[in-house]
Amino acid sequence: MTTSPVRLRLISLVPPALAGILAAGVGLGAAEAVAGTRADFRSPVLDVGDRVVDRVPSWMKDLAIEWFGTNDKIALLAGIGAMLTIYAAVVGAVTIRRSRRLGLAGIALFGALGTLAALGRRTGADWTSPIPSVVGAIVAGVALWSFTVRTEVSPGQPVHVTQRRRFIAQGGILTIAAVAFAATGRRLKERFSAAESRASITLPAPDSPAPALPSGIEADGAAPFFTSNADFYRIDTALVVPQVPAEDWELRVVGMVDREIRLSFEQLLDRELVERDITLTCVSNTIGGNLIGTARWLGVRLDDLLDEAGMDPRADQVVGRSTDGYTCGFPVGALDGRDALIAVGMNGEPLPLEHGFPARLIVPGIYGYASATKWLAEIELTRFDAFDHYWVPRGYAAEAPIKLQSRIDAPRGLDRIDPGSFAIGGVAWAQTIGIDAVHIRIDDGDWIETELAAEVNDTTWRQWSHPWEATPGRHTIEVRAKDRNGAIQTPDRSEPLPNGASGHHTVVVLVNEA
Ligand SMILES: Nc1nc2c(c(=O)[nH]1)N[C@H]1C(S)=C(S)[C@@H](COP(=O)(O)O)O[C@H]1N2
Ligand SMILES: [Mo]
């Protein structure tokens, strides 16, 4: 008997689909390894993810934040992973069962998608950017092809046994290769981490320390006045945290200015440093939500720096541009003496990487999406009619003062508590105006004035509380705030899109029988 070459032919669709998935895995692993060789190379998965982030409708982003909170990115990547797996399985089945050409065209399409995503970056794309995608597609193609090569069947050996053994061996090798490639890519990328840079920085003491805190700034039942860096919400479009070592960082002040300014991180720290307590608020915060936090920020006054650059009186917008291309924009009129900062410190530490290390903007009274550029690279003086910042074409308002709002922290919705004395408490904010009063009402009774904690300044939230004698049963508690201009928080509910949620926070609490 002579050996006879046969094409791999398997009864079920599972092995072809698996072959497709394995080929995609090793291709993506190879792309990761290549991406690790240069700081500006990026994983194709992240490039594609970025383009998805840039294109999802704003209502869907708000929904993602509502469903997944700050895990929205993990949810997105998991979604991309699931789609990829299905696609690779189909490509595998087509290649092995139908047509090798069609299958390889499917892989080429996949490489083209990565290429487009790499070329479509917000900033810094050039012709080399798609290299990881192209290499990944070639490796995936070769791997998939290898499953279609004819097998030598030894005499006396049943064909399917040979095929099965070979499939298992090939699959094993590809799995190991995929994991090794991906791990190598990861390790290589670590060289570009900014963590070491951050660890090596000692921030100077402020020239102007934060004013002494009055006593009694916290009220029973409310969240801590200062939000720790670990608990501070994180919202941004970056799927992985941009790594910007302070040594390589430079801030440019450009646009409608008399003199452009360029500052290294060292030069920034040499300027007058002020320390201020400011509450940062996200436009996507829903009623009662926690996309708000208060920190002690250390930084350089933005108005001083812009005065030095010399502002063209026709400019009406300050744009903060991030190293990742994200932009915020807010009115020049917001520089009215309030403590707008180029911040380098947060609660006594250099900015955490995920909060914008080495420098970011903090502008009291304006939602973060329009003001708080993290990983700041450039400040541009321009006009609202000349430039739309990132979220404007996505439906959010160009100008975004923070709405008067209040929140109940205790009890939380649907908490079960014992009857008797209970401290209802929470926070309220009207940044740059200040909170004058907070009222609650229980079970549609009359509005009652709560006790306000001491005010730190008009740009921070203010805590309130109310001692309550809880009686058994189900109760509804509603809160509203009044600002120092006499405005009372509207009960009319609106979604975060386009300029922030409004409406009263209401919780239902269940009080046990005595
Ligand atoms: N570079 C960059 N800066 C950004 C964003 C972003 O997506 N990219 N998001 C903004 C938004 S929407 C908010 S609410 C604040 C949140 O800052 P935090 O993550 O430090 O809380 O950052 C702002 N700065
Ligand atoms: Mo935000």
Side-chain angles (χ1 to χ4, degrees), residues 233 235 281-284 368-369:
Y233 78 93
I235 289 288
T281 316
C282 182
V283 71
S284 301
Y369 82 95

Side-chain angles (χ1 to χ4, degrees), residues 61 73 122 232-238 242 280-284 291 297 321-328 346 354-356 360-362 367-376 390-391:
K61 177 218 65 169
K73 291 175 181 141
R122 286 178 220 137
F232 212 96
Y233 78 93
R234 173 190 168 199
I235 289 288
D236 53 59
T237 61
L280 180 63
T281 316
C282 182
V283 71
S284 301
L291 301 181
W297 307 93
R321 187 167 282 112
S322 169
T323 56
D324 70 356
Y326 180 88
T327 49
C328 291
M346 182 176 182
E354 61 271 28
H355 294 292
R360 74 175 304 171
L361 290 175
I362 291 291
Y367 284 121
Y369 82 95
S371 66
T373 307
K374 304 194 272 188
W375 315 287
L376 181 68
Y390 185 88
W391 283 108

Side-chain angles (χ1 to χ4, degrees), residues 427-439:
V427 289
W429 56 95
Q431 282 114 309
T432 77
I433 298 167
I435 289 291
D436 189 48
V438 173
H439 308 136

Side-chain angles (χ1 to χ4, degrees), residues 373-385:
T373 307
K374 304 194 272 188
W375 315 287
L376 181 68
E378 188 174 276
I379 296 167
E380 184 191 356
L381 258 278
T382 180
R383 295 186 48 82
F384 277 103
D385 57 22

Side-chain angles (χ1 to χ4, degrees), residues 47-48 51 110-121 130 133:
D47 263 338
V48 170
R51 298 294 75 76
F110 196 64
L113 193 71
T115 298
L116 281 181
L119 291 174
R121 285 181 198 159
S133 282

